[in-house]
Structures are given as structure tokens and as C-alpha cells.
Amino acid sequence: MKYAKKSILFFLLAAMPVFAQQKITLEEIWGGAFRTKGMDELIALENTNQYTVLNNNWNAGTSAIDLYDFATLNKVGTLVESKSFSQLHGIDSYTFSKDEKKILLATDSNPIYRHSFTADFYIYDTATKQITQLAENKVQEPTFSPDGNKVAYVFDNNIYVHDIANGFTRPVTKDGKKNSIINGVCDWVYEEEFSFVKAYQWNATGDKIAYIRFDETDVPEFTMEVYDQGLYPKPQTFKYPKAGEKNSIVTLHIYDVKTNTDKEIKLGNYTDFYIPRIKWTNDAQTLSVQVINRHQNNLDLIFVDANSGAAKVVLNETDKAYVDITDNLTFLNDNSFIWTSEKEGYNHIYHYSKTGKLLDQVTKGKWEVTSYYGFDDKTGNIFYQSTENGSINRDVYRININGKNKIRLTNQAGTNDAKFSPNFDLFLNFYSSATQPQIFTLNSTKEGKLVKEVINNNPLKEKLTKYSLSPKEFTTITTEKGHVLNAWFIKPANFDPAKKHPVLMYQYSGPGSQQVANTWNTLNDYWYYMLAQEGYIVACVDGRGTGFKGAEFKKVTYKELGKFEVEDQIDAAKVISKYPYVDAGRIGIWGWSFGGFMSSNCILKGADVFKMAIAVAPVTNWRFYDSVYTERYMQTPQENAGGYDLNSPINFAKNLKGKYLLIHGSADDNVHLQNTMLMVEALVQANKQFDWAIYPDKNHGIYGGKTRLQLYTKMTNFIKENL
């Protein structure tokens, strides 16, 4: 969409008399009063034109995997219910065998880090309707072999293969050891920054398993104290490579299931590198491997012959800043492949031959492909999501692999996301906007025509009419430096432009992120509406470094995280301060994680602009954060000391003038409490007064029980007292 000079208003609710409205409370927000209905764990089946959904009865504590027909959306049956088996204390997640006759069921899951977990797994046979336990212990990442007769999994850092018929389990690796050797699952930093856990994969014929081995012996250790309820705190120690420190040494291996032999693959003359993705091609004996250097600006796509071990680079991707890793690599029947790249300045789809020759640039334009959904080999059509209708919106499109005959399949401004039927004739569209809570519809892929509505959240929409909620305004802000930035505002429902109002700014600002998006409310949004009911204006600005406006806009922050992003928040605040209805002396800012890093910098470097700031779980010195993320944007501290030191808030504590609230969880394995503790020491030695709160045994999300309610009550009170 095109942005006019005037603000574009998206009205959340029709105006109603103020006296008839209720006020939002924190108890409602964090008690689930505004929860939307959805479709959990939806899987489109490959062998029938059907899909499954995990439906949970939270009151009864039971779960069921229900089966639905794509063409009619009617429920046609229930595959399995947890209440039928005493071993299943609910179903946490599930995966099918390739023939979809067996299901792996996870129950009693225990989280490890952000994505990883162990669980008790059971194999459910849809024909016999019986379950058998996969392993005596809780294990990680089990996966069926292609014929469905075996299951590979990881236990205690080793890979095992379990034969379903005879119950025999064979170890693939034996050298796994905590804080030393990991086989088949990722170390901490890979899981967090490359966003995957399972580091092994079956080939199409089930005779090979490719896996990554992590030797983290020399990676420095980090220890957190876990207080729990015991007499003595317990140390939790794990390997965590901070910026510039040693990473795990990774090697690629291929295990031959038939001969029970293992082969290490020599990928080339690489040093200090990452393997962020492995994926078997449609040729069962050809494995694709992505290798990227430590600076993450040179990526090789390598094809490996599983039999000979020969490795060949088929595609090289370079960037003056960094190359983003995605899961968009898709192999077609002829082993040609789909690839997405920012090499033309915006993220687009490319089609390459199996030898790496460019066949077509499928999409092009000054907009971003944001999701790749798949390829229909019957019609030659590719399905994708993009920002063609404006960077704050998402639409679903169909285009031929030759780049012709493009059709927009969704027609409502907002956020559209799709799940396609196996035959690509239909898709489930998940739509929402700032005015419309999630609606799930069935649509035709021919023209995008609506076939049937599946789920709506009209009861929630009706419920919200009882509250005094103000319109959410999307607009752009042009700073004095000439930068045009996306923004939204929430004003009091009884807004009087003749009065001066305090402003609370929220942002995240991390590389490639987006907070100004035309989508339905997060729980934080309800907090902002609550604050607006108290007379505050809440604003959000996506500055330079954020995503979906092209590579140049996103990567301008390279080697200087916190410089241009902070400038833009300060400059945007200066623009906002000149609005006739804004009290220029009462502007505050808050953020979480990268946003906490930003709000800390803003109160210190914009001391004359911001009256107060809240920083939750902030990075206060990039030297304390992990290698993969930090070095992607900053290189190492040894190479770029100035970039680190000039933009880390811990070095500017002496500048504090306004009110500052610092919050952290003591068991944050991601952004360590070290960041806050040393920031506290810097503020103390600068003789600055501030407020702070530590949440015992809480991780980066700071939740559990009444934690969020207490946290947001604290932040609300701080805002009311200081803004």
C-alpha cells in the first residue's frame, strides 16, 4: 500500500459513549480475558486431502488429534485422544510417519532452552489404535524413517535408532557428553541464533542419516544459580560462546544404517565456520549443506555425495554486511531448487538448476518476500507471502516458476498467512488486522475466492466494544535527518487535542524486526490501551535497522548496533514532542531484550528528550552476548572495539538524568543477568539513583504464576509515578 502524508487511521472499535465503557485491568490481560481462538498444531496431510489439529480441553486436562476434510472443513474423525491412554498426560506435540499410519506423541515435556525440550514419546498405530513407548527415558527430536519402521532420536547427546517391529535400539554415536560432545541436536547458540534443534536428518530411502557433531569442549562455560526452594542454590552450567570467544567445532557425518558405519564428510578448507542447515535433496544419495563463515557474509551451498563423500559448492552467496539463514531451500523433482536472497536489495525468490545455474528470478520489485509456502509441480506455481501491499501488511500470492501470471490470493489489508492443502487446490488463510481479530477461512488457490469460514473471533470483538478503547493510528514519521519511519499511535479515547498529554514510546528495534504491523493485538497492546485509558499516548516507531523495507534500510546498522537505531528513536521523540497535544517534558520509552538495550541507550544518550525509561532483560554491553548473533552484526570485539564500546549503555551510566527502571530474570540463559548486575555497578559508581527488580529463577521471558501480573503492575506504577 502507499502511504499518504496524512496518518492512515485503522479504527479498532466504533466510537461509543465514554461513560458506558469499562476499563481494562492487568488482571484481565494476564488472566486470559482477551485470548483468541485458533488452530493449534495444524498439519496438512500429504496422502489425503485432509488436515489435523491438536485440540486441548484445558479444564479436563485432555488432548485430541482431530481430523478434518480440506474441501468441506468438516471434522471427519478423531485419530487419538489422550484420555484413552493412562500413559498420556495430554499431548504436547505430534508428528506423522511418511505414510501417516503412525504418530509420535509427546507428553510430559520438559523445556531445555527456547526451542528444545525432552519428553516421553509414544508411537501410536492408527490401524491397531495401540501405543508403545519409544524409550524408557525422556528423549529429544524423534523422527520416523521414511518407511515408518524405525525412529531415530537423541538421548544424552547421542543418536539412537529404534526398530519398531522388534523393539531393538542401536546407538549411532557413543561419544556424547554434557558440555563436551553433542550429536544430532544443537548447542545453545545454534538453537538460539540459527533457530533449529534437530541437527540430523534421514534421507529419502532411509538408508542414511546425516548429522552434525558439536565439539564444545573449548567453549567457555556460563553458570547460573538456581534458587528454587532448596537450602542451597544449585549451579546450572552450560557452554555459552560470547562475542569473540571460541565456538563449538562442528563436523558433518553420514551414518549408513545398513552397514552400521559412520563417515565424517570433509567439506573443504574452511576454518571457524558454521553449518546452519543440512537438507537431503530429492536424490536420496545427495545431501545439501549450508556452510557460512564466522562473519556470516559468505555462504556456500554444498552438495555432498553420500556414498563417496565428495563435496561440491553449487551456489555462493556473499554480502557486504551479512547473509540471513532461512528455511526456504526447496528441491523440485529434477533436483533444481528454489532459493531466496537479498542480493538485489530486497528478499526475492530464485530458481536454480541442480548444478547451481540461475534459471529464473521468480519475483522482483521493491518489496520483500516474507514467507515461501511451496511449489505445485502439477501447475508449476509457487506460493508465497510478501509485503507488496505495504511493509506493514502481508498478502498471499501465486506466481508461475517462470515469474509470470502473478495473482494476489488475499484481498483484505492486514496480515494474511496460509496453510495449503497437499494438492494446492485450497488454502487455509489466517487473517487479522488492527481492527479485526483472527479469522480462519478456506480459500481457493485459483483466484483466492472464499470457500468457507472456519473460525472467527467475533465474540472477542463484541466483548471489546464494552471497553473504552481508542483508535490505533498507523502513520509515518519523517525525522529532521529526512528518514521516513513507520509508526503507530494509541491515544486516549476521550482525546482532547487542546490538552498536553504524556507519551510512552515502545520499540524493539533489533535487526530485521518489525513492531509496526497491521495485525491483531498482542497482550502488550491491551496494556497500551489500558495506559491510554489513563491519559497516556502510546507510540511505536520502527527505525532504521528494522525489517521489510529492503536490505539497505535493515543493514545500515552493520558494525554499529545501537547507533542509528537510537538516533531514530531520539529524533522521532523530538518530532512527537512538537505535536501541539504532547507534553514535551513527559516522554518516556521502554523495551525488552534488544528493546531494553535501546531504551537504556535512549535515556542515557537522549537525556534531554526522555523523562523516564524501563529496560527489561537488556543487553548492556555487546561483549556479554553470544557470538553468532553479535558477530553477525558487529564482527568480533577484537576487530570492532569501537562499535561495541560506543553503543553499549553500560559505558554511559554517568549521563543518567531521568527515571530508570531496570528489570531482569536471574535464570536468563539468553541475555545473562550479568548485563544488569554490571549496569547496576556502573550506575552505583556514577552515583546515580535508579530502580531495579530481579525475578528469581525466571528466564528471558519472565513469566510463570503471577509473575507477569506483578511485573506489569510494577511497570505501570513506575510510569504513573514518573511520567
Side-chain angles (χ1 to χ4, degrees), residues 44-262:
L45 301 183
E46 297 294 331
N47 300 307
T48 61
N49 201 39
Q50 296 172 318
Y51 64 91
T52 56
V53 174
L54 179 61
N55 289 317
N56 293 295
N57 184 331
W58 300 110
N59 293 327
T62 60
S63 309
I65 300 174
D66 293 322
L67 184 66
Y68 298 83
D69 182 74
F70 250 113
T72 65
L73 297 183
N74 293 331
K75 178 180 172 180
V76 295
T78 295
L79 294 182
V80 60
E81 293 181 281
S82 65
K83 67 181 181 182
S84 300
F85 302 96
S86 60
Q87 304 97 313
L88 298 178
H89 306 141
I91 299 172
D92 301 332
S93 60
Y94 66 102
T95 55
F96 284 94
S97 60
K98 186 176 181 181
D99 63 8
E100 294 166 350
K101 294 180 180 179
K102 298 185 184 75
I103 311 174
L104 274 167
L105 307 174
T107 189
D108 292 329
S109 299
N110 290 336
I112 303 174
Y113 300 120
R114 187 189 296 264
H115 307 289
S116 56
F117 65 94
T118 61
D120 292 318
F121 283 91
Y122 292 85
I123 302 168
Y124 177 73
D125 189 307
T126 60
T128 65
K129 302 189 184 307
Q130 299 298 312
I131 66 170
T132 56
Q133 190 167 6
L134 172 62
E136 294 181 358
N137 302 293
K138 291 183 184 292
V139 302
Q140 287 184 264
E141 301 296 324
T143 308
F144 284 109
S145 61
D147 61 9
N149 293 328
K150 298 180 179 65
V151 177
Y153 63 84
V154 175
F155 171 67
D156 278 356
N157 291 0
N158 282 314
I159 304 171
Y160 294 83
V161 173
H162 173 77
D163 190 300
I164 296 174
N166 60 29
F168 178 72
T169 300
R170 171 187 291 172
V172 173
T173 64
K174 298 179 180 180
D175 60 345
K177 183 180 179 182
K178 182 177 174 59
N179 289 336
S180 180
I181 303 296
I182 308 173
N183 295 289
V185 291
C186 291
D187 65 0
W188 185 94
V189 74
Y190 266 66
E191 175 180 335
E192 177 66 27
E193 306 303 355
F194 289 130
S195 300
F196 75 111
V197 177
K198 188 179 72 172
Y200 77 88
Q201 194 175 78
W202 292 94
N203 70 343
T205 51
D207 65 320
K208 303 285 196 310
I209 296 176
Y211 69 93
I212 305 173
R213 178 182 184 270
F214 296 81
D215 183 345
E216 55 178 3
T217 304
D218 294 331
V219 177
E221 292 182 343
F222 186 84
T223 299
M224 303 184 302
E225 292 291 329
V226 178
Y227 298 96
D228 200 10
Q229 301 297 320
L231 187 61
Y232 292 93
K234 296 179 180 179
Q236 180 181 343
T237 300
F238 57 99
K239 299 287 187 168
Y240 186 106
K242 292 182 184 284
E245 298 299 311
K246 288 186 177 180
N247 288 314
S248 292
I249 297 171
V250 291
T251 51
L252 177 69
H253 298 253
I254 294 180
Y255 171 74
D256 191 306
V257 179
K258 293 180 179 179
T259 63
N260 191 28
T261 57
D262 186 284

Side-chain angles (χ1 to χ4, degrees), residues 279-309:
K279 184 174 186 177
W280 288 97
T281 72
N282 281 334
D283 176 349
Q285 301 305 318
T286 302
L287 175 71
S288 75
V289 185
Q290 295 182 41
V291 174
I292 195 166
N293 63 333
R294 182 154 182 166
H295 280 170
Q296 298 174 66
N297 56 13
N298 189 311
L299 182 147
D300 285 336
L301 176 64
I302 299 172
F303 281 6
V304 174
D305 185 309
N307 294 312
S308 68

